[in-house]
């Protein structure tokens, strides 16, 4: 990521790792979010939506919280800008 910014002529000021809480109120919301993504659509085309749903809910069972799911996304953020004049 840093190298790409430098190749674009930018000066990297900071790279940070940010943890973002994500709460899905119910299984349908969780599955809908995944099936709306490119990888989710691809999986549903190949295995079927019911199979994707079953696999997701089984894999994410440890993150169940009440009627929904509580997950944490981890993303890297790069702050960069043009070089000083």
């Amino acid at each position: 990521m840093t190298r790409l910014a430098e190749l674009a002529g930018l000066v990297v000021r900071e790279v940070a790792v940010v943890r973002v809480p994500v709460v899905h109120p119910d299984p349908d919301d969780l599955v809908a979010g995944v099936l709306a993504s490119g990888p989710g659509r691809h999986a549903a085309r190949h295995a079927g939506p019911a199979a994707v749903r079953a696999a997701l809910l089984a894999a994410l069972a440890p993150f169940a919280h009440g009627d929904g799911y509580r997950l944490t996304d981890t993303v890297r953020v790069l702050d960069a800008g043009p070089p000083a004049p």
Side-chain angles (χ1 to χ4, degrees):
M1 198 163 63
T2 299
R3 180 73 179 130
L4 184 61
E6 292 168 347
L7 287 170
L10 301 173
V11 174
V12 175
R13 293 185 282 257
E14 181 179 6
V15 176
V17 175
V18 179
R19 296 176 58 81
V20 181
V22 178
V23 177
H24 295 278
D26 55 55
D28 291 337
D29 184 72
L30 172 70
V31 172
V34 172
L35 291 178
S37 72
R41 286 191 305 272
H42 180 76
R45 276 195 305 270
H46 288 280
V52 172
R53 178 185 179 88
L56 280 170
L57 297 182
L60 296 176
F63 302 98
H65 184 78
D67 291 337
Y69 293 83
R70 184 173 292 164
L71 307 170
T72 302
D73 284 346
T74 302
V75 296
R76 290 176 58 104
V77 178
L78 179 131
D79 178 24

